[in-house]
Amino acid sequence: MAPGNEAGTAKLEYEGKMVELPVFEGSEGEKALDIRALRSQTGMITYDPGFGNTGACESNITFIDGEKGVLRIRGYEIDDLAEHCEFVEVAYLLVNGNLPNPAQRASFSEMLTRASLIHEDMRNFFRQYPEHAHPMAILSACVVSLSTFYPELERSEDEEINVQTTRLISKIRTISAFSYKKFIGQPFVYPRYDLKYCENFLNMMFSSPVHPYELNPVVVKAINQFFILHADHEQNCSTTVVRLVGSSRANLYASIASGVCALWGPLHGGANQAVVEMLEEMQREGWTAADVIAKAKNKESGFRLMGFGHRVYKTYDPRARIAKEACEKVLKQLGVVDPLLDLAFELEDAALNDDYFKERNLYPNVDFYTGITLRAVGIPTNMYPVMFAIGRLPGWIAQWRELWGDPDQRIGRPRQIYTGPVKRDFIPISERG
Ligand code: SDX
């Protein structure tokens, strides 16, 4: 099956041979060279480390225009979703393809609430981890373990996937909050029937038997918006991992757990934690913005300006613009004065006016300001990638389900250019010098 609409052919000439390869066009005008016949027709493969020029799939979930800074989820602008929706609506949009009507919204919320407990035996998982285990390690282990507590049910595949989807979107909150409580040595707080998605998560995080948590609407909206900004981002590293693991027909829990591990890296979803740690070090060491920019430009330093740059966006990440506005607003409404925000402003200003960053189209990405907002609502830095995972989960699930339903999809298995030793005769160990 062809991705999108036919858009002519491209000719490839090499060593006196000419092959014609089909070109296809997506609904937003992007063009792709279909190279599925390349090796059979030419004996050659393509070489594209990091897949920067390689389309792995056709998708109708999320569109990004990196040059114009556009992000749309199922056709809706991220600005509209962030401004007008709650996260549960965007999760429904991703998994079902349309925004829910009031009845669908109520039914989805009810299913999420009813699925919010984890099996009591899973509580023991948390007790066995060392004191300061990183919550991302616990999250990935618990997610893959859900497949042992909830083996495939005897129901139609679609119905089973819907159950697994709702179960995961709901339980990821409970697992995440429990991993935080484990980290701070407090008793677990169970989900409540009377609280909605984000409220329940915040209550499980911050309530305690001796100090009930008072929900602040500013914080609830900030967390809803944080999750929406992270909900999906087409074929990023962790989503590609979820699809690749799913392409072997591994179950949904195993595929998502793999995505959690990929997201953990500081170049990806771990960047929000790395940004705040970078700003804290800047404050502790008394570095100026110029000092930090100089370090980032010095290749020998191995230092990167975390929260800056993006493989796709060559202008301001639209999520970063929304996150920056939200960060200022939330801190002001909460009466929080955080010197790290001023340092972030100084760094952004210095970088955007520096030729090194301008020449490379390096702008703030989604991670540059989001951590400061999380800090203001009391979430610790090692939970920031976990927050990213909670937001990205509906996107991962939507992408995984799209892969499973795509007749074009086969098990992912890239090729390589081998540059190792050519054939060598075997030498018995007794004869080796
Ligand atoms: C996310 O893909 C997605 O959609 C991801 C994401 C999502 O929603 O899923 O948007 C979430 O992961 C956002 C990115 C979070 N990571 C960081 O903030 C880490 C810091 N950023 C960089 O490491 C980097 O910009 C990446 C990883 C984000 C992108 O890397 P690329 O596309 O491979 O770019 P590159 O490393 O080839 O850099 C190109 C040039 C290099 O310099 P030259 O070799 O041309 O001289 O830009 C330089 C790099 O050294 N560069 C940076 C830089 N980012 C790129 N230099 C200093 N600081 C930086 N942050």
Side-chain angles (χ1 to χ4, degrees):
M1 203 169 94
N5 301 314
E6 288 186 19
T9 60
K11 293 180 178 58
L12 177 65
E13 183 178 357
Y14 181 70
E15 292 183 341
K17 277 178 65 181
M18 167 85 78
V19 292
E20 281 202 55
L21 296 167
V23 175
F24 294 97
E25 184 172 5
S27 53
E28 288 282 355
E30 296 163 297
K31 289 191 169 62
L33 180 66
D34 184 345
I35 59 167
R36 284 176 287 185
L38 180 70
R39 191 167 185 279
S40 61
Q41 290 189 15
T42 68
M44 289 194 287
I45 62 169
T46 59
Y47 179 66
D48 187 20
F51 310 122
N53 301 281
T54 297
C57 64
E58 173 185 0
S59 180
N60 58 26
I61 297 172
T62 295
F63 171 71
I64 300 174
D65 182 325
E67 282 66 35
K68 295 179 186 150
V70 172
L71 168 58
R72 296 193 197 114
I73 293 180
R74 300 282 193 192
Y76 293 98
E77 297 284 355
I78 189 65
D79 300 71
D80 289 337
L81 297 175
E83 178 61 32
H84 304 299
C85 287
E86 289 187 325
F87 173 62
V88 168
E89 294 174 80
V90 176
Y92 185 97
L93 168 67
L94 275 162
V95 172
N96 296 290
N98 296 297
L99 284 168
N101 62 33
Q104 290 162 334
R105 169 83 169 77
S107 159
F108 190 49
S109 285
E110 178 69 16
M111 286 168 68
L112 289 171
T113 303
R114 289 183 181 275
S116 52
L117 282 174
I118 59 174
H119 194 291
E120 274 297 291
D121 288 352
M122 283 193 86
R123 284 173 51 108
N124 303 325
F125 283 40
F126 298 87
R127 303 207 188 297
Q128 308 313 321
Y129 278 97
E131 197 174 303
H132 287 298
H134 196 290
M136 285 294 267
I138 299 176
L139 179 60
S140 59
C142 286
V143 166
V144 72
S145 300
L146 287 173
S147 61
T148 64
F149 289 94
Y150 307 100
E152 312 305 310
L153 302 179
E154 295 312 312
R155 286 190 268 194
S156 75
E157 193 161 280
D158 272 356
E159 189 182 350
E160 165 53 29
I161 295 288
N162 284 334
V163 168
Q164 289 178 14
T165 295
T166 315
R167 185 181 284 144
L168 261 172
I169 294 174
S170 184
K171 291 178 185 346
I172 193 171
R173 292 173 295 172
T174 314
I175 294 168
S176 302
F178 281 18
S179 65
Y180 171 62
K181 287 297 195 186
K182 153 72 188 183
F183 188 74
I184 60 173
Q186 279 193 6
F188 297 149
V189 173
Y190 279 62
R192 281 172 32 184
Y193 183 77
D194 62 321
L195 295 179
K196 293 165 69 177
Y197 192 88
C198 289
E199 288 88 339
N200 234 331
F201 170 69
L202 287 164
N203 190 61
M204 286 190 277
M205 283 283 290
F206 298 124
S207 186
S208 86
V210 293
H211 187 272
Y213 176 65
E214 190 180 334
L215 286 162
N216 179 329
V218 172
V219 173
V220 172
K221 179 164 175 55
I223 297 300
N224 261 295
Q225 191 175 78
F226 176 96
F227 288 152
I228 291 171
L229 292 180
H230 292 80
D232 193 58
H233 213 237
E234 53 129 294
Q235 305 312 314
N236 58 83
C237 176
S238 53
T239 298
T240 300
V241 165
V242 169
R243 278 180 168 260
L244 196 59
V245 173
S247 75
S248 75
R249 290 303 186 222
N251 66 61
L252 180 61
Y253 303 117
S255 305
I256 297 300
S258 309
V260 170
C261 294
L263 187 72
W264 194 358
L267 293 186
H268 190 17
N272 50 24
Q273 175 176 352
V275 167
V276 168
E277 288 168 351
M278 172 184 74
L279 294 171
E280 285 172 337
E281 187 178 14
M282 184 178 171
Q283 182 186 38
R284 193 170 54 247
E285 302 295 330
W287 294 338
T288 64
D291 296 332
V292 175
I293 296 300
K295 275 170 70 78
K297 291 160 64 174
N298 171 12
K299 301 290 183 193
E300 278 68 52
S301 73
F303 176 87
R304 289 233 161 154
L305 184 57
M306 302 313 275
F308 253 75
H310 199 275
R311 173 64 57 77
V312 177
Y313 290 121
K314 299 311 167 191
T315 184
Y316 218 104
D317 181 333
R319 303 167 299 173
R321 182 172 29 76
I322 297 167
K324 179 179 180 181
E325 289 164 16
C327 185
E328 285 188 277
K329 192 172 165 186
V330 169
L331 267 67
K332 190 172 175 197
Q333 287 171 330
L334 296 178
V336 170
V337 177
D338 188 344
L340 298 193
L341 183 58
D342 294 329
L343 291 178
F345 288 157
E346 287 167 32
L347 266 180
E348 175 186 345
D349 185 54
L352 294 186
N353 288 292
D354 183 282
D355 287 343
Y356 172 94
F357 286 82
K358 286 195 280 192
E359 286 158 11
R360 292 167 177 79
N361 297 312
L362 302 177
Y363 291 83
N365 59 51
V366 67
D367 295 304
F368 195 64
Y369 286 103
T370 42
I372 301 172
T373 302
L374 296 179
R375 190 175 138 96
V377 303
I379 293 178
T381 46
N382 67 355
M383 284 292 289
Y384 295 0
V386 173
M387 294 296 286
F388 193 140
I390 296 173
R392 184 53 51 89
L393 180 59
W396 283 335
I397 292 172
Q399 298 276 351
W400 185 89
R401 293 176 70 159
E402 184 174 73
L403 166 110
W404 270 56
D406 182 347
D408 259 10
Q409 284 299 322
R410 305 185 295 161
I411 186 168
R413 204 273 183 221
R415 306 303 291 257
Q416 63 167 21
I417 291 289
Y418 176 71
T419 55
V422 295
K423 186 178 179 323
R424 294 191 281 180
D425 295 331
F426 181 76
I427 304 167
I429 190 164
S430 57
E431 296 170 25
R432 290 175 213 151

